[in-house]
Amino acid sequence: RRARALSLSSHTLSHNHITSHHTQHTTSHHITTHCAMDGGAEAAAAAGTVAVALLYQAAPAPPVDGVTKPVKPGGYTDSGADIACALRAAGVTVVTPVDEPDSRTALDWVFPDTEAGISEARARGANTLWLNTVLYASHPIALYAAAVTAAAAAAAA
C-alpha cells in the first residue's frame, strides 16, 4: 500500500509537467513519500501522521526557447509561508526549517526546492513535500522522486 501511494504521487508529478516538453508551470502540488524514509520522516510515517514541508523556488528555471522566466522576488516564500500557517492553523503538522517559526518571517516556514532543502525537510520529519514552485524536467524534485520510486520498487521486490 505504501509503495502504491508513492507511485501515484510520482505519477502525479510527472503528469504535471516535471518531465514535460520544455513546459514550465508555477504549481502548488505535493508529493507524499511513504517509502525509503529515514530519520524524522520515518518516525512521522510510522505514527501515521502527515508532516508537510513547503518548498519554494530557490533558483531560476532553465530557459525555454531562449526565454527565461524571471524568478519572483523571494521565490514564492510569502505564499509558501501563508500556506504553511494555514495548514498549521487547520491542525496539520507542518515541518519548518526552524524550531519556532516567526509568523512575520517567511523563510522560517519554507525550504528551498534544492536537493539540500529537500534533504533538510525530510531530516526534520517531513513525509509530504508541498511544491510551491516552478517545475521543469531537471528540477531537483524529479531526481528525488526517481530515487524514492526506485527505492520503493527495490523494497517491493
Side-chain angles (χ1 to χ4, degrees), residues 12-63:
T12 300
L13 285 173
S14 294
H15 178 72
N16 286 303
H17 307 289
I18 279 185
T19 56
S20 68
H21 309 327
H22 302 291
T23 303
Q24 296 175 4
H25 291 278
T26 301
T27 187
S28 187
H29 293 287
H30 68 276
I31 179 171
T32 303
T33 57
H34 292 290
C35 299
M37 292 187 227
D38 56 357
E42 186 174 293
T49 60
V50 172
V52 179
L54 276 288
L55 302 179
Y56 70 91
Q57 183 182 6

Side-chain angles (χ1 to χ4, degrees), residues 1-152:
R1 177 179 159 148
R2 289 180 176 181
R4 179 172 167 78
L6 173 65
S7 175
L8 290 173
S9 295
S10 297
H11 171 73
T12 300
L13 285 173
S14 294
H15 178 72
N16 286 303
H17 307 289
I18 279 185
T19 56
S20 68
H21 309 327
H22 302 291
T23 303
Q24 296 175 4
H25 291 278
T26 301
T27 187
S28 187
H29 293 287
H30 68 276
I31 179 171
T32 303
T33 57
H34 292 290
C35 299
M37 292 187 227
D38 56 357
E42 186 174 293
T49 60
V50 172
V52 179
L54 276 288
L55 302 179
Y56 70 91
Q57 183 182 6
V64 174
D65 297 327
V67 177
T68 301
K69 179 180 179 182
V71 176
K72 178 182 181 277
Y76 305 105
T77 56
D78 54 348
S79 59
D82 290 344
I83 293 166
C85 287
L87 288 171
R88 185 170 277 182
V92 174
T93 299
V94 175
V95 177
T96 59
V98 299
D99 292 335
E100 295 188 32
D102 182 334
S103 62
R104 298 165 296 184
T105 306
L107 286 172
D108 281 3
W109 293 90
V110 294
F111 295 88
D113 65 344
T114 61
E115 288 182 56
I118 292 166
S119 293
E120 182 184 357
R122 301 265 297 117
R124 285 185 154 273
N127 61 14
T128 302
L129 302 174
W130 188 305
L131 307 170
N132 190 36
T133 187
V134 174
L135 297 178
Y136 46 89
S138 61
H139 191 281
I141 198 68
L143 302 173
Y144 175 76
V148 172
T149 300

